[in-house]
């Protein structure tokens, strides 16, 4: 049976990924530090729960050991979004965001990659954000953490591909789940955002889960070192916001 570890597995996107991977025949371990929602997510999805902070390397190595297998797939999905203007953002918050979103992903990826390299197979998927390619106001260190993870994805692919691994990133756009849920609770914000997306809808956690399943599968065997944007087209729509002289 194929095995997968999904970090941040008790959150909105992590849960959807776990469900979809289990449907695809994976045994799934959820790595998350939120004990309450982790147990709930495990019960809901049928995945196994491991309480672990991805920024703590010894804890990650111990959880990997407890999982009992070198995973075929790692989905580095754990992340935090602490938004504040740069002039006001406490340095602890700035650092924490880099630590969880970037360093944590590296710790988990490397912990798995050492075994994957020995076996000569494995897939690593890093969940970034459209903030990795386009910044938003008041986003603090979040875009830098995600852009860093996108570049780290390329670096991992460069170093580990010849050793049998495939490494890609997935950049979600406006997803109606997880850390964006409070944001979209405001009907005015929700409607404006929906209209701004060329596909005219917010994304679903299943849109990301389906992308994970595709990139994890052999159907994506020649896709490597790539960041796949899953955003209904919003990140390429900037110029539609600007006035332009109408010409026939
Ligand atoms: N929801 C969106 O609109 C959206 C858009 C773009 C990118 N993303 C990215 O998708 C990923 C999942 O986000 P989500 O929306 O499901 O958010 P979420 O808050 O529902 O889930 C994130 C999970 O990560 C866990 N986590 C946080 N710090 C951790 C740590 N140090 N160790 C282990 N687990 C930790 C949390 O406990 C939580 O369960 C994140 O990386 C996020 O940046 C989300």
């Amino acid at each position: 049976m194929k095995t997968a570890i999904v970090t941040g597995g008790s959150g909105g996107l992590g849960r959807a990924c776990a469900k979809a991977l289990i449907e695809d025949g994976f045994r799934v371990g959820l790595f998350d530090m939120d004990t309450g929602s982790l147990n709930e997510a495990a019960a809901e999805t049928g995945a196994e729960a491991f309480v672990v902070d991805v920024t703590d390397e010894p804890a990650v190595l111990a959880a990997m050991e407890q999982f009992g297998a070198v995973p075929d797939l790692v989905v580095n999905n754990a992340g935090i979004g602490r938004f504040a203007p740069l002039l006001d953002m406490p340095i602890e918050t700035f650092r924490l965001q880099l630590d969880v979103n970037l360093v944590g992903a590296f710790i988990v990826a490397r912990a798995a990659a050492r075994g994957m390299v020995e076996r000569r197979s494995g897939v690593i998927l890093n969940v970034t954000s459209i903030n990795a390619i386009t910044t938003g106001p008041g986003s603090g260190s979040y875009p830098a953490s995600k852009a860093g993870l996108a570049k780290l994805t390329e670096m991992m692919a460069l170093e580990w591909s010849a050793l049998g691994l495939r490494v890609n990133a997935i950049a979600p756009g406006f997803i109606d789940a997880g850390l964006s849920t409070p944001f979209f609770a405001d009907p005015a914000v929700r409607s404006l955002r929906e209209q701004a997306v060329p596909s005219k809808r917010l994304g679903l956690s299943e849109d990301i889960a389906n992308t994970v399943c595709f990139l994890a599968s052999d159907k994506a065997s020649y896709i490597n070192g790539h960041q796949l944007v899953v955003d209904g087209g919003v990140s390429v729509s900037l110029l539609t916001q600007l006035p332009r002289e109408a010409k026939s």
Side-chain angles (χ1 to χ4, degrees):
M1 183 185 243
K2 292 174 293 179
T3 55
I5 284 168
V6 179
T7 72
S10 63
L13 304 195
R15 259 181 223 218
C17 291
K19 268 189 211 158
L21 288 168
I22 288 171
E23 271 172 33
D24 274 7
F26 280 85
R27 176 188 156 221
V28 175
L30 307 178
F31 281 17
D32 204 297
M33 60 190 290
D34 183 339
T35 317
S37 64
L38 181 58
N39 291 331
E40 186 195 288
E44 184 189 318
T45 61
E48 296 158 47
F50 299 86
V51 181
V52 58
D53 176 346
V54 295
T55 66
D56 179 347
E57 189 172 31
V60 167
L61 293 172
M64 206 69 91
E65 186 77 24
Q66 220 187 324
F67 185 62
V70 173
D72 296 289
L73 169 70
V74 166
V75 184
N76 267 316
N77 164 77
I80 55 171
R82 301 282 157 83
F83 297 156
L86 289 172
L87 289 176
D88 303 331
M89 180 171 250
I91 201 68
E92 297 76 21
T93 311
F94 189 95
R95 277 210 184 100
L96 177 67
Q97 200 147 235
L98 294 176
D99 207 21
V100 176
N101 296 358
L102 175 58
V103 183
F106 174 60
I107 288 173
V108 177
R110 188 171 65 170
R114 286 184 172 140
M116 289 173 167
V117 161
E118 251 174 63
R119 190 183 54 206
R120 286 284 197 261
S121 73
V123 174
I124 295 171
L125 299 176
N126 296 320
V127 179
T128 58
S129 164
I130 53 168
N131 276 272
I133 47 178
T134 179
T135 49
S139 303
S141 57
Y142 186 78
S145 72
K146 294 299 190 177
L149 183 55
K151 192 50 81 178
L152 181 65
T153 302
E154 295 176 15
M155 198 61 212
M156 290 175 183
L158 185 69
E159 288 199 2
W160 297 343
S161 297
L163 305 172
L165 276 62
R166 241 176 359 97
V167 188
N168 288 294
I170 297 166
F174 305 155
I175 309 298
D176 190 13
L179 54 79
S180 296
T181 305
F183 192 61
F184 294 126
D186 179 337
V189 170
R190 188 183 180 87
S191 168
L192 281 169
R193 292 262 169 152
E194 279 168 348
Q195 290 315 307
V197 179
S199 292
K200 298 297 171 208
R201 70 167 175 89
L202 299 176
L204 305 172
S205 53
E206 288 76 14
D207 292 317
I208 305 307
N210 289 338
T211 310
V212 163
C213 289
F214 165 64
L215 286 176
S217 76
D218 288 343
K219 288 181 181 160
S221 64
Y222 203 55
I223 302 177
N224 202 0
H226 182 66
Q227 175 167 236
L228 181 50
V229 177
V230 184
D231 72 344
V234 75
S235 60
V236 294
S237 66
L238 172 67
L239 294 184
T240 61
Q241 317 293 324
L242 302 174
R244 187 176 187 180
E245 189 189 351
K247 280 194 181 150
S248 54

PDB file of all heavy atoms in Angstrom, residues 80-92:
ATOM      1  N   ILE A  80       0.832  28.900   8.378  1.00  0.00           N
ATOM      2  CA  ILE A  80       0.098  29.921   9.135  1.00  0.00           C
ATOM      3  C   ILE A  80       0.069  31.203   8.317  1.00  0.00           C
ATOM      4  O   ILE A  80       0.975  31.468   7.530  1.00  0.00           O
ATOM      5  CB  ILE A  80       0.727  30.187  10.530  1.00  0.00           C
ATOM      6  CG1 ILE A  80       2.222  30.561  10.406  1.00  0.00           C
ATOM      7  CG2 ILE A  80       0.560  28.978  11.447  1.00  0.00           C
ATOM      8  CD1 ILE A  80       2.828  31.054  11.714  1.00  0.00           C
ATOM      9  N   GLY A  81      -0.993  31.957   8.500  1.00  0.00           N
ATOM     10  CA  GLY A  81      -1.124  33.254   7.834  1.00  0.00           C
ATOM     11  C   GLY A  81      -1.320  34.331   8.881  1.00  0.00           C
ATOM     12  O   GLY A  81      -2.402  34.470   9.431  1.00  0.00           O
ATOM     13  N   ARG A  82      -0.248  35.028   9.198  1.00  0.00           N
ATOM     14  CA  ARG A  82      -0.325  36.123  10.187  1.00  0.00           C
ATOM     15  C   ARG A  82      -0.131  37.420   9.436  1.00  0.00           C
ATOM     16  O   ARG A  82       0.999  37.782   9.104  1.00  0.00           O
ATOM     17  CB  ARG A  82       0.766  35.963  11.252  1.00  0.00           C
ATOM     18  CG  ARG A  82       0.703  34.665  12.020  1.00  0.00           C
ATOM     19  CD  ARG A  82      -0.390  34.689  13.091  1.00  0.00           C
ATOM     20  NE  ARG A  82      -0.820  33.342  13.434  1.00  0.00           N
ATOM     21  CZ  ARG A  82      -0.199  32.544  14.292  1.00  0.00           C
ATOM     22  NH1 ARG A  82       0.855  32.964  14.908  1.00  0.00           N
ATOM     23  NH2 ARG A  82      -0.655  31.327  14.538  1.00  0.00           N
ATOM     24  N   PHE A  83      -1.245  38.073   9.118  1.00  0.00           N
ATOM     25  CA  PHE A  83      -1.170  39.250   8.266  1.00  0.00           C
ATOM     26  C   PHE A  83      -1.100  40.529   9.088  1.00  0.00           C
ATOM     27  O   PHE A  83      -1.888  40.726  10.014  1.00  0.00           O
ATOM     28  CB  PHE A  83      -2.359  39.304   7.306  1.00  0.00           C
ATOM     29  CG  PHE A  83      -2.386  38.141   6.335  1.00  0.00           C
ATOM     30  CD1 PHE A  83      -3.561  37.731   5.746  1.00  0.00           C
ATOM     31  CD2 PHE A  83      -1.218  37.465   6.006  1.00  0.00           C
ATOM     32  CE1 PHE A  83      -3.578  36.667   4.850  1.00  0.00           C
ATOM     33  CE2 PHE A  83      -1.220  36.405   5.119  1.00  0.00           C
ATOM     34  CZ  PHE A  83      -2.406  36.007   4.536  1.00  0.00           C
ATOM     35  N   ALA A  84      -0.164  41.394   8.734  1.00  0.00           N
ATOM     36  CA  ALA A  84      -0.034  42.717   9.356  1.00  0.00           C
ATOM     37  C   ALA A  84       0.880  43.547   8.473  1.00  0.00           C
ATOM     38  O   ALA A  84       1.760  42.989   7.804  1.00  0.00           O
ATOM     39  CB  ALA A  84       0.570  42.590  10.757  1.00  0.00           C
ATOM     40  N   PRO A  85       0.685  44.874   8.458  1.00  0.00           N
ATOM     41  CA  PRO A  85       1.612  45.710   7.669  1.00  0.00           C
ATOM     42  C   PRO A  85       3.041  45.540   8.171  1.00  0.00           C
ATOM     43  O   PRO A  85       3.262  45.356   9.370  1.00  0.00           O
ATOM     44  CB  PRO A  85       1.116  47.131   7.945  1.00  0.00           C
ATOM     45  CG  PRO A  85      -0.258  46.993   8.502  1.00  0.00           C
ATOM     46  CD  PRO A  85      -0.340  45.655   9.160  1.00  0.00           C
ATOM     47  N   LEU A  86       3.997  45.595   7.251  1.00  0.00           N
ATOM     48  CA  LEU A  86       5.404  45.382   7.623  1.00  0.00           C
ATOM     49  C   LEU A  86       5.876  46.348   8.703  1.00  0.00           C
ATOM     50  O   LEU A  86       6.667  45.979   9.580  1.00  0.00           O
ATOM     51  CB  LEU A  86       6.303  45.534   6.389  1.00  0.00           C
ATOM     52  CG  LEU A  86       6.210  44.412   5.347  1.00  0.00           C
ATOM     53  CD1 LEU A  86       7.002  44.784   4.101  1.00  0.00           C
ATOM     54  CD2 LEU A  86       6.690  43.087   5.918  1.00  0.00           C
ATOM     55  N   LEU A  87       5.383  47.596   8.654  1.00  0.00           N
ATOM     56  CA  LEU A  87       5.852  48.586   9.642  1.00  0.00           C
ATOM     57  C   LEU A  87       5.433  48.216  11.063  1.00  0.00           C
ATOM     58  O   LEU A  87       6.063  48.636  12.026  1.00  0.00           O
ATOM     59  CB  LEU A  87       5.336  49.988   9.292  1.00  0.00           C
ATOM     60  CG  LEU A  87       5.964  50.641   8.056  1.00  0.00           C
ATOM     61  CD1 LEU A  87       5.305  51.982   7.752  1.00  0.00           C
ATOM     62  CD2 LEU A  87       7.471  50.837   8.251  1.00  0.00           C
ATOM     63  N   ASP A  88       4.364  47.416  11.172  1.00  0.00           N
ATOM     64  CA  ASP A  88       3.847  47.083  12.509  1.00  0.00           C
ATOM     65  C   ASP A  88       4.150  45.657  12.943  1.00  0.00           C
ATOM     66  O   ASP A  88       3.981  45.316  14.108  1.00  0.00           O
ATOM     67  CB  ASP A  88       2.308  47.236  12.534  1.00  0.00           C
ATOM     68  CG  ASP A  88       1.873  48.623  12.131  1.00  0.00           C
ATOM     69  OD1 ASP A  88       2.660  49.560  12.378  1.00  0.00           O
ATOM     70  OD2 ASP A  88       0.783  48.763  11.552  1.00  0.00           O
ATOM     71  N   MET A  89       4.534  44.798  12.017  1.00  0.00           N
ATOM     72  CA  MET A  89       4.618  43.367  12.345  1.00  0.00           C
ATOM     73  C   MET A  89       5.745  43.087  13.356  1.00  0.00           C
ATOM     74  O   MET A  89       6.912  43.387  13.087  1.00  0.00           O
ATOM     75  CB  MET A  89       4.852  42.559  11.067  1.00  0.00           C
ATOM     76  CG  MET A  89       4.939  41.068  11.319  1.00  0.00           C
ATOM     77  SD  MET A  89       4.940  40.125   9.777  1.00  0.00           S
ATOM     78  CE  MET A  89       3.321  39.372   9.876  1.00  0.00           C
ATOM     79  N   PRO A  90       5.389  42.472  14.504  1.00  0.00           N
ATOM     80  CA  PRO A  90       6.445  42.122  15.455  1.00  0.00           C
ATOM     81  C   PRO A  90       7.429  41.139  14.810  1.00  0.00           C
ATOM     82  O   PRO A  90       7.021  40.257  14.051  1.00  0.00           O
ATOM     83  CB  PRO A  90       5.689  41.447  16.610  1.00  0.00           C
ATOM     84  CG  PRO A  90       4.269  41.825  16.419  1.00  0.00           C
ATOM     85  CD  PRO A  90       4.060  42.077  14.963  1.00  0.00           C
ATOM     86  N   ILE A  91       8.677  41.287  15.139  1.00  0.00           N
ATOM     87  CA  ILE A  91       9.713  40.464  14.509  1.00  0.00           C
ATOM     88  C   ILE A  91       9.505  38.979  14.833  1.00  0.00           C
ATOM     89  O   ILE A  91       9.795  38.105  14.012  1.00  0.00           O
ATOM     90  CB  ILE A  91      11.132  40.963  14.891  1.00  0.00           C
ATOM     91  CG1 ILE A  91      12.167  40.492  13.874  1.00  0.00           C
ATOM     92  CG2 ILE A  91      11.530  40.571  16.295  1.00  0.00           C
ATOM     93  CD1 ILE A  91      12.037  41.109  12.520  1.00  0.00           C
ATOM     94  N   GLU A  92       8.919  38.693  16.003  1.00  0.00           N
ATOM     95  CA  GLU A  92       8.651  37.293  16.380  1.00  0.00           C
ATOM     96  C   GLU A  92       7.642  36.684  15.390  1.00  0.00           C
ATOM     97  O   GLU A  92       7.762  35.524  15.002  1.00  0.00           O
ATOM     98  CB  GLU A  92       8.059  37.184  17.794  1.00  0.00           C
ATOM     99  CG  GLU A  92       8.948  37.661  18.916  1.00  0.00           C
ATOM    100  CD  GLU A  92       9.029  39.195  19.027  1.00  0.00           C
ATOM    101  OE1 GLU A  92       8.112  39.888  18.516  1.00  0.00           O
ATOM    102  OE2 GLU A  92      10.016  39.690  19.612  1.00  0.00           O
TER     103      GLU A  92
END
